[in-house]
Amino acid sequence: MGPWAVPWMMLSLFCLLPSARAQTKIPLETVKSWADAFSGELYSIVTKYSGSLLLQKKYKDVEPTLKIKEVDGVELVKKFSEQMESMLRRKVEAVERLVEAAEDADLNHEYNSSLEFDYYNSFLINEKDENDNYVELGDEFILEPNEHFNNLLVNTTYSDIQLPTNVYNKDPDILNGVYMSEALNPIFVDNFERDPTLTWQYFGSSTGFFRLYPGIKWLPDENGVISFDCRNRGWYIQAATSPKDIVIIVDVSGSMKGLRMTIAKHTIITILDTLGENDFVNIIAYNDYVHFIEPCFKGILVQADRDNREHFKQLVDELQAKGVGTVNKALTESFKILREFRDAGQGGLCNQAIMLITDGAVEDYEAVFEKYNWPDRKVRVFTYLIGREVTFAPNVKWIACNNKGYYTQISTLADVQENVMEYLHVLSRPMVINHDHDIIWTEAYMDSALPQSEELFASQAQSLLLMTTVAMPVFSKKNETRSHGILLGVVGSDVPLRELLKLAPRYKLGVHGYAFLNTNNGYILSHPDLRPLYKEGKKLKPKPNYNSVDLSEVEWEDQDEILRTAMINGETGYLSMDVKVPVDKGKRVLFLTNDYFFTDISGTPFSLGVVLSRGHGEYILLGNTSVEEGLHDLLQPDLSLANEWIYCITDIDPDHRKLSQLEAVIRFLTGEEPDLECDEELVQEVLFDAVVTAPMEAYWTTLALNMSMETEAGVEMAFLGTRAGLMRSALYVGSEKISNRKFLTQKDKGSIFTMDHFPLWYRRAAEHPPGSFIYSIVSEDDSEGGGLPKVVTVSTAVAVSVDGKMGIAAAVGVQIKLELLQRKFWMAMQQPNDSDCSALDGACPLSCQDDILNCFLLDNNGFILVSKRPAETGKFFGAVDGSVMTQLLNMGMFRRVTMYDYQAMCKVPYHHHNGARPLLSPIYAFLAAVKWLISDFLIFLLEFNMSSFWHSDNLADAKAVFHHSHKHKKHDTLQPCDTEYPVFVYEPAIKETNGLIECGDCQKMFVAQQIASSNLLLLITDAVCDCSVFPPILLDVKEVKYISTLKCERMRSQKLRRRPDTCHAFHPEENAQDCGGTAEVSISPTLLFLPLALLLQDLRGQGCHWPEWQEGRRWGHRLFWDARCDSLGRRGINDMAQRILHPTP
């Protein structure tokens, strides 16, 4: 006990002494009588209009026919795992068929450098010229909306070809590859017919084209550019190479100033983008001395997860060139790190490589290689010569060729992408020569490259947006090129994680249960608490670290990481934990004891966990009824089923896709659709619940017809839900008068059954005694339209008991207007003028309308439902009266619970000179270096020609930088962070309390009384005594700031992970002499100006004129102002870039 504890306790006791004089005395008996009267009135209204007593009786009547079965969690998780393994195996088989077809097609194809071949270009399909003829490579391609593919327009009979703008669509390598891969079309279609749950299938070629099935229309970005390159995707890189330990060495000597440093930085960033969570990395900069760009990472390698990669990118941007370069020390340090990690069994334990980025090497570095790498050459060295200078080219190439690496020269930013990709081809050689077709599964990711991704973000539960990809490499089988190890590309297929979770039916997991998946690296693949998106303005965007959220950051009560360790090791087992579950956007918390059951999914790097909450969560109710009786009650108009649950499989047969789940169940039961495959156990539960709850329809209807609008105005809706996902509802007012129209609709997912969770009103009611009602108010910042809350949702659980086992069968409730609650409250909070006051100690008669009193109705989390001041409705009471809230906390009537959020986004203050800008936009630094050489007109040309080399996001940022208006609006950016926040809950064991608070020159009295059969609290306080000396108690979210030593320790820590099973580091037959040469692209000003001039002339001929350039708008202005000219311009720009980059010989 601290030194201030005793005095504080004495002060608190003193405050409660009955002899203390208060300015206003509040009779305790009066408050209790008010609470009793209000409780009785409320209970009468909510039981009557919800029909809770009737529903309780109906379930009680059928208890003798009910069975309650205890769930065997271990058997359940094993069963789910086997079903998931079977499903994923079908995806693997589809990919294997594609690999075999692609390799056979290549074996039988003879390269033809003069091949002419028309194919469906996904950018050009269905495009017509001014004569209404289809453009070249753009024939008619029939597209139709398909629900299985998120209602995108697709062609399920044929694939088409996507190419990034900087890949020439008629290059001989492209034409030969596209022609060869035509053999995949019938396999795509056959795969889809065999397994209708398949989604996207594709072949990513090493030459840069991307064959996608089903075919779609690929849309360019706002600048008319297609930046998507399949070779940059995680699935391609993982399938093409084994795990890698990489040390990047960058020369930061004085000679690297200017454009060379810009190119070097972009090269590092591009290398980082080729790494994944199975890889390890560090970056060393050298000049006169060697330094790790992150001092905390000195002497180690760190996992190349998204967090670390983004951290490195920020540090790379801060590099500055100065001094003299001495590479030997940097090479020595790199070899030492790699050797130490290899010897200690850390890192990837497969490929090891050094990436040397420099503009020259003049030292005698042979001794370093002799000491650390020869003769075994366990570490490959890749060299990147920056700039046009060729004096040092032989030296830099010698380093690569004598260490099984590859040498390239990078003269412009345009060269970076293709030259960095060369190292992947070298690392893939051993696997290709061995013909080892490793199956890889990616981490969870969100594919925002396809059209309509933003609409999907808004329409689905965040945790269900993610997918994983199964991929396999495709090799050349030709004997004459065997030693070269030619990788033709990678075949893949997407698996939405939503499809996997359908195999863990929600109804088998109880009210609070759930299933989750994690990877061999401990990262979450799918979890109902995973929040991969954040809101920036009105747009939903993926968080920077959305797919590297660790299991320990979601199940954060697993302090010793026992659960994480067991799941990463692929164990099968069980663990129990007391957990605090945040609900209602973190404003409330449920205290549960959860049982975790886990096992691995064979043939994948994934593990499956199933969570059942202790008690009612581990029981399944089994009822029995006839189909005839149940079917009759299913047809009632007030009934619906959870449409995200799988009662019947409707998404495979096109004829079934239009059916709701209720329609499918009815057709299954009536025999109209004998082909429907349904979950018979769940259907039986639905039938049983339909029969038991059927009387509610007549009950609610009778009430609605006999309602008195004078005394009962404000009761708007009754509703119920059962553990089988069945819902019924009835309106007591016209639909146009409903205050909360989103309730029980898709627009308020928290109020309905989803794949992720039961409704919030059901979950909260389940954790309170049956018969006790939970009152929920929408807090002020969540109310519709941002105004004051208008409605209160009231719910209670319906329990059944069989053989001493209690299960939650249903929850039932009513939604009422807040003004009805307020009206009943103020009516109960007063004493008649003729009250007998002789036995009361204090003011009498008393009313909450008196100026001397403040009266509040609070819920169990301290939020205000009723106050004299309407503006306080929905607020947290501690923010309104810190003095009373402090006392309630001290007395134990409320307690503070600290919660943590490891997926938060925090504001970072805006700085105009943002060091991250050149990092995000290599074009910015390049243009900054040369802008004094070129005019604004040439910069405008670069927007269209250089943009083909970088992603559109980068170009957009560059445009913002060079915006002539130069209006720097202050704004905060968001970045991932850890936060903590308080939640307050009251202790239901304390029924009443009262006290006096010393407030300087007065004492403030308060009385708190629990409202029976509810989660409500009546609080009466003295309104005269000013107690503002007590600060308010706020629900502020605070960022967790780590001290530098602890932060470094956290960053350096190597969490347990399971390495991939296979490794392909070297092969004795590989051709190590194929180690690169110059690869330089140079674009002359003539090539820039001439095509654009021709394009503008052509556009003018079609009535499309260059708009006036206005000062301050040049970089933000669109080139074309109407839809026709816009389309012509975009197509022309894309074609112009193709001609510039790939001139016809």
Side-chain angles (χ1 to χ4, degrees):
M1 186 177 288
W4 296 103
V6 173
W8 176 251
M9 289 175 64
M10 292 177 65
L11 175 62
S12 298
L13 289 170
F14 176 76
C15 291
L16 301 178
L17 290 176
S19 59
R21 185 184 60 81
Q23 289 181 321
T24 302
K25 208 162 190 179
I26 305 169
L28 306 185
E29 297 86 348
T30 301
V31 175
K32 188 174 187 317
S33 67
W34 287 351
D36 290 343
F38 181 59
S39 169
E41 182 73 12
L42 267 191
Y43 188 78
S44 173
I45 291 173
V46 297
T47 53
K48 177 181 177 180
Y49 288 100
S50 68
S52 61
L53 298 179
L54 173 62
L55 188 61
Q56 190 88 49
K57 180 180 182 303
K58 290 301 176 183
Y59 272 104
K60 191 75 175 173
D61 291 344
V62 297
E63 271 186 6
T65 68
L66 268 177
K67 291 181 181 178
I68 295 185
K69 183 177 75 175
E70 189 168 355
V71 178
D72 185 330
V74 173
E75 287 304 310
L76 188 67
V77 76
K78 285 182 179 178
K79 179 183 176 184
F80 290 166
S81 172
E82 288 167 4
Q83 292 173 341
M84 291 180 181
E85 177 192 342
S86 176
M87 174 199 173
L88 296 177
R89 182 65 215 167
R90 292 197 300 273
K91 314 305 177 194
V92 172
E93 289 168 355
V95 167
E96 288 174 336
R97 285 191 287 271
L98 289 169
V99 170
E100 183 179 359
E103 291 183 348
D104 288 345
D106 176 71
L107 187 62
N108 297 320
H109 174 71
E110 217 170 290
Y111 187 88
N112 180 359
S113 60
S114 58
L115 176 67
E116 292 187 5
F117 174 65
D118 285 338
Y119 57 89
Y120 290 113
N121 183 304
S122 63
F123 173 62
L124 299 172
I125 54 171
N126 301 326
E127 294 284 333
K128 292 185 176 182
D129 60 19
E130 63 277 8
N131 298 319
D132 204 34
N133 297 319
Y134 287 109
V135 300
E136 192 175 22
L137 303 181
D139 283 345
E140 182 181 13
F141 194 73
I142 297 172
L143 298 169
E144 297 175 333
N146 190 307
E147 283 187 33
H148 188 65
F149 295 94
N150 296 314
N151 282 317
L152 291 175
L153 295 172
V154 300
N155 184 322
T156 54
T157 62
Y158 217 74
S159 63
D160 59 5
I161 303 295
Q162 178 270 339
L163 299 104
T165 301
N166 65 322
V167 175
Y168 181 40
N169 55 32
K170 285 199 167 184
D171 183 281
D173 289 344
I174 296 295
L175 290 177
N176 276 269
V178 171
Y179 181 80
M180 175 274 292
S181 64
E182 285 283 299
L184 297 180
N185 275 311
I187 312 301
F188 284 141
V189 176
D190 181 58
N191 279 344
F192 192 41
E193 289 174 352
R194 291 189 193 202
D195 180 7
T197 66
L198 276 173
T199 56
W200 305 103
Q201 304 173 68
Y202 38 82
F203 170 62
S205 167
S206 60
T207 58
F209 73 82
F210 181 58
R211 181 178 287 278
L212 178 65
Y213 174 87
I216 64 168
K217 173 73 173 176
W218 202 283
L219 303 176
D221 62 22
E222 61 184 7
N223 302 298
V225 171
I226 299 176
S227 58
F228 176 88
D229 190 329
C230 63
R231 296 168 298 177
N232 292 336
R233 308 299 280 185
W235 52 266
Y236 185 99
I237 294 164
Q238 276 184 251
T241 62
S242 296
K244 307 173 284 295
D245 293 344
I246 302 285
V247 178
I248 302 172
I249 304 175
V250 58
D251 183 350
V252 290
S253 61
S255 61
M256 288 286 288
K257 283 185 178 179
L259 181 57
R260 289 184 180 182
M261 181 53 71
T262 301
I263 295 171
K265 289 179 179 180
H266 187 42
T267 302
I268 297 172
I269 290 167
T270 306
I271 294 172
L272 288 172
D273 284 339
T274 66
L275 304 179
E277 59 186 37
N278 289 321
D279 304 319
F280 286 76
V281 67
N282 206 337
I283 303 177
I284 294 175
Y286 73 92
N287 41 30
D288 302 299
Y289 62 97
V290 171
H291 70 276
F292 292 83
I293 69 167
E294 171 50 78
C296 181
F297 294 159
K298 183 176 181 179
I300 65 167
L301 297 173
V302 294
Q303 193 172 7
D305 58 26
R306 188 178 289 262
D307 278 345
N308 284 333
R309 295 199 307 266
E310 294 304 315
H311 181 61
F312 274 130
K313 288 178 183 180
Q314 293 175 13
L315 296 172
V316 164
D317 176 58
E318 297 168 7
L319 294 175
Q320 294 183 349
K322 58 184 177 181
V324 178
T326 53
V327 72
N328 280 8
K329 291 179 182 177
L331 284 169
T332 300
E333 189 70 30
S334 301
F335 279 119
K336 283 181 177 179
I337 293 172
L338 293 169
R339 184 175 63 186
E340 288 170 8
F341 257 59
R342 185 170 64 240
D343 293 346
Q346 295 180 297
L349 289 184
C350 191
N351 288 293
Q352 291 196 319
I354 293 171
M355 310 297 205
L356 175 60
I357 301 167
T358 181
D359 64 347
V362 296
E363 299 167 73
D364 182 14
Y365 32 73
E366 187 171 338
V368 178
F369 299 125
E370 285 180 345
K371 182 176 180 180
Y372 292 103
N373 205 37
W374 294 349
D376 295 335
R377 292 173 170 80
K378 291 182 179 179
V379 178
R380 297 181 189 265
V381 182
F382 296 88
T383 55
Y384 302 90
L385 181 62
I386 305 298
R388 298 180 184 277
E389 180 61 55
V390 295
T391 306
F392 301 110
N395 296 5
V396 178
K397 182 175 180 179
W398 182 93
I399 294 174
C401 293
N402 283 276
N403 289 279
K404 292 189 176 180
Y406 200 89
Y407 157 78
T408 60
Q409 183 169 4
I410 304 178
S411 305
T412 69
L413 285 166
D415 301 345
V416 173
Q417 181 68 49
E418 291 295 327
N419 285 321
V420 166
M421 296 302 293
E422 291 294 344
Y423 98 86
L424 295 175
H425 298 154
V426 173
L427 293 187
S428 70
R429 283 178 192 163
M431 177 174 60
V432 177
I433 295 170
N434 241 9
H435 282 192
D436 290 321
H437 290 96
D438 293 343
I439 299 163
I440 68 98
W441 294 89
T442 67
E443 70 275 15
Y445 72 97
M446 229 178 288
D447 202 338
S448 55
L450 294 173
Q452 297 184 13
S453 57
E454 281 190 27
E455 288 87 339
L456 293 178
F457 289 171
S459 67
Q460 296 186 20
Q462 288 197 26
S463 60
L464 301 175
L465 286 167
L466 302 176
M467 63 180 71
T468 182
T469 291
V470 55
M472 290 177 67
V474 180
F475 311 139
S476 172
K477 291 181 177 179
K478 295 176 180 177
N479 287 330
E480 60 268 27
T481 59
R482 178 178 171 82
S483 66
H484 292 275
I486 296 176
L487 176 74
L488 299 175
V490 172
V491 160
S493 180
D494 291 343
V495 182
L497 296 173
R498 184 187 188 91
E499 297 302 315
L500 270 182
L501 291 180
K502 286 179 181 178
L503 300 176
R506 198 70 196 72
Y507 76 97
K508 292 189 176 182
L509 306 178
V511 180
H512 305 298
Y514 55 91
F516 65 95
L517 297 156
N518 69 293
T519 71
N520 58 302
N521 287 295
Y523 295 139
I524 290 294
L525 198 68
S526 178
H527 194 292
D529 292 334
L530 180 66
R531 306 190 313 276
L533 301 177
Y534 75 102
K535 208 162 191 177
E536 189 173 78
K538 293 184 177 180
K539 283 190 174 182
L540 284 172
K541 292 185 175 183
K543 294 176 182 175
N545 62 336
Y546 75 89
N547 63 355
S548 58
V549 176
D550 196 85
L551 178 61
S552 61
E553 295 174 326
V554 178
E555 301 289 351
W556 51 267
E557 284 94 346
D558 183 25
Q559 300 281 329
D560 298 323
E561 299 192 355
I562 298 171
L563 175 66
R564 182 185 187 278
T565 300
M567 293 189 71
I568 286 176
N569 289 333
E571 297 174 13
T572 298
Y574 151 83
L575 175 71
S576 182
M577 279 195 296
D578 291 328
V579 298
K580 298 184 282 287
V581 180
V583 295
D584 197 12
K585 299 182 180 178
K587 294 180 176 65
R588 311 180 194 278
V589 62
L590 301 177
F591 298 92
L592 305 174
T593 298
N594 281 347
D595 291 327
Y596 293 78
F597 304 92
F598 47 85
T599 191
D600 70 325
I601 301 176
S602 182
T604 76
F606 307 143
S607 290
L608 169 68
V610 166
V611 180
L612 303 175
S613 58
R614 188 73 61 83
H616 60 77
E618 297 187 319
Y619 297 125
I620 286 185
L621 276 62
L622 300 174
N624 196 15
T625 190
S626 68
V627 171
E628 292 76 16
E629 187 181 9
L631 189 57
H632 172 268
D633 292 325
L634 270 180
L635 296 172
Q636 292 179 345
D638 70 324
L639 185 145
S640 64
L641 296 183
N643 220 40
E644 289 187 17
W645 289 19
I646 310 300
Y647 300 85
C648 298
I649 297 173
T650 59
D651 62 347
I652 293 179
D653 188 331
D655 294 334
H656 297 157
R657 287 181 188 146
K658 299 292 183 184
L659 299 177
S660 69
Q661 285 295 318
L662 178 58
E663 291 168 339
V665 168
I666 291 171
R667 293 197 182 195
F668 170 71
L669 292 172
T670 57
E672 289 180 52
E673 295 284 352
D675 295 337
L676 270 170
E677 186 180 337
C678 298
D679 185 329
E680 295 191 18
E681 182 181 337
L682 179 55
V683 169
Q684 180 59 44
E685 289 189 24
V686 164
L687 285 174
F688 180 79
D689 287 345
V691 172
V692 177
T693 61
M696 301 298 290
E697 180 191 29
Y699 176 85
W700 288 335
T701 301
T702 303
L703 279 179
L705 293 174
N706 295 289
M707 277 185 73
S708 166
M709 284 298 104
E710 291 182 8
T711 60
E712 293 154 333
V715 182
E716 296 193 339
M717 175 193 297
F719 56 88
L720 67 83
T722 75
R723 88 280 187 221
L726 177 148
M727 291 187 68
R728 292 183 185 271
S729 62
L731 297 181
Y732 290 122
V733 296
S735 57
E736 73 283 355
K737 295 182 180 179
I738 290 290
S739 302
N740 183 2
R741 297 184 183 182
K742 292 181 180 179
F743 187 65
L744 303 185
T745 71
Q746 288 290 329
K747 292 181 178 179
D748 181 9
K749 283 189 172 288
S751 69
I752 62 175
F753 291 91
T754 68
M755 279 188 72
D756 265 353
H757 51 67
F758 275 53
L760 180 58
W761 49 264
Y762 196 125
R763 297 175 69 191
R764 293 190 69 203
E767 293 312 303
H768 283 258
S772 173
F773 285 85
I774 293 295
Y775 293 74
S776 301
I777 188 171
V778 178
S779 61
E780 58 172 345
D781 52 338
D782 290 331
S783 59
E784 196 169 342
L788 292 174
K790 296 179 180 178
V791 294
V792 177
T793 303
V794 190
S795 60
T796 186
V798 178
V800 293
S801 295
V802 178
D803 299 330
K805 300 172 184 174
M806 190 194 81
I808 303 295
V812 61
V814 64
Q815 194 162 81
I816 61 177
K817 274 194 167 185
L818 181 60
E819 62 187 47
L820 170 63
L821 190 74
Q822 293 169 334
R823 190 167 70 246
K824 297 295 181 182
F825 180 83
W826 297 121
M827 286 175 61
M829 302 300 131
Q830 58 185 349
Q831 289 176 296
N833 290 329
D834 59 351
S835 299
D836 181 8
C837 301
S838 58
L840 294 178
D841 182 19
C844 182
L846 196 63
S847 168
C848 268
Q849 301 293 350
D850 295 343
D851 293 339
I852 60 172
L853 294 183
N854 279 329
C855 300
F856 301 93
L857 184 65
L858 311 181
D859 70 12
N860 59 316
N861 297 112
F863 290 99
I864 301 172
L865 280 79
V866 181
S867 168
K868 279 184 177 178
R869 294 167 289 278
E872 292 173 353
T873 307
K875 290 182 181 291
F876 176 62
F877 177 70
V880 172
D881 191 333
S883 63
V884 175
M885 193 68 203
T886 299
Q887 284 301 102
L888 292 175
L889 286 167
N890 291 338
M891 292 173 165
M893 190 157 203
F894 274 90
R895 63 188 172 102
R896 177 191 178 112
V897 179
T898 300
M899 302 290 287
Y900 296 93
D901 183 1
Y902 297 103
Q903 302 176 65
M905 298 289 287
C906 296
K907 288 183 178 179
V908 179
Y910 170 78
H911 297 290
H912 169 52
H913 297 291
N914 186 353
R917 189 178 290 121
L919 165 69
L920 296 174
S921 305
I923 192 174
Y924 165 75
F926 172 61
L927 292 175
V930 299
K931 66 180 181 180
W932 59 277
L933 291 172
I934 53 181
S935 67
D936 283 349
F937 182 65
L938 184 53
I939 295 177
F940 190 81
L941 300 184
L942 287 174
E943 178 186 8
F944 294 107
N945 291 281
M946 298 300 287
S947 63
S948 61
F949 306 129
W950 304 288
H951 295 298
S952 57
D953 291 346
N954 302 335
L955 180 63
D957 193 57
K959 288 168 64 178
V961 170
F962 282 92
H963 199 292
H964 285 224
S965 65
H966 230 60
K967 293 177 181 177
H968 302 302
K969 294 181 180 178
K970 290 186 177 181
H971 62 281
D972 292 330
T973 57
L974 296 172
Q975 70 176 20
C977 62
D978 299 341
T979 59
E980 66 175 31
Y981 59 95
V983 176
F984 295 86
V985 294
Y986 86 41
E987 177 52 61
I990 302 177
K991 303 297 183 185
E992 58 188 27
T993 191
N994 64 89
L996 292 170
I997 307 170
E998 289 290 345
C999 304
D1001 58 354
C1002 65
Q1003 292 176 316
K1004 181 173 186 174
M1005 185 175 183
F1006 66 90
V1007 179
Q1009 181 75 46
Q1010 211 176 95
I1011 305 295
S1013 302
S1014 77
N1015 67 325
L1016 300 178
L1017 184 72
L1018 171 62
L1019 182 61
I1020 314 294
T1021 72
D1022 174 8
V1024 178
C1025 180
D1026 180 8
C1027 226
S1028 56
V1029 292
F1030 284 80
I1033 297 175
L1034 305 175
L1035 297 178
D1036 286 348
V1037 177
K1038 295 180 181 178
E1039 182 178 358
V1040 178
K1041 299 283 189 181
Y1042 300 101
I1043 59 174
S1044 57
T1045 53
L1046 179 59
K1047 182 178 180 181
C1048 181
E1049 186 179 324
R1050 284 169 56 89
M1051 291 169 67
R1052 285 178 66 94
S1053 65
Q1054 302 283 332
K1055 280 184 174 285
L1056 177 72
R1057 54 185 293 275
R1058 189 171 86 237
R1059 292 180 182 83
D1061 297 329
T1062 57
C1063 169
H1064 308 281
F1066 296 101
H1067 195 284
E1069 295 180 28
E1070 69 175 279
N1071 180 11
Q1073 297 310 305
D1074 180 8
C1075 55
T1078 56
E1080 185 175 329
V1081 177
S1082 179
I1083 302 175
S1084 69
T1086 304
L1087 283 176
L1088 280 174
F1089 279 92
L1090 183 58
L1092 185 61
L1094 293 173
L1095 169 64
L1096 294 174
Q1097 183 178 1
D1098 181 52
L1099 289 170
R1100 279 196 299 272
Q1102 299 181 54
C1104 298
H1105 301 286
W1106 193 281
E1108 291 293 323
W1109 280 19
Q1110 298 179 17
E1111 187 63 27
R1113 297 178 62 197
R1114 293 179 186 175
W1115 279 93
H1117 208 297
R1118 295 179 62 89
L1119 176 56
F1120 309 103
W1121 63 93
D1122 65 41
R1124 182 180 67 88
C1125 294
D1126 184 62
S1127 175
L1128 290 169
R1130 289 178 187 274
R1131 194 164 68 239
I1133 289 164
N1134 194 288
D1135 183 60
M1136 178 188 71
Q1138 295 278 359
R1139 293 172 186 273
I1140 292 172
L1141 294 168
H1142 316 287
T1144 305

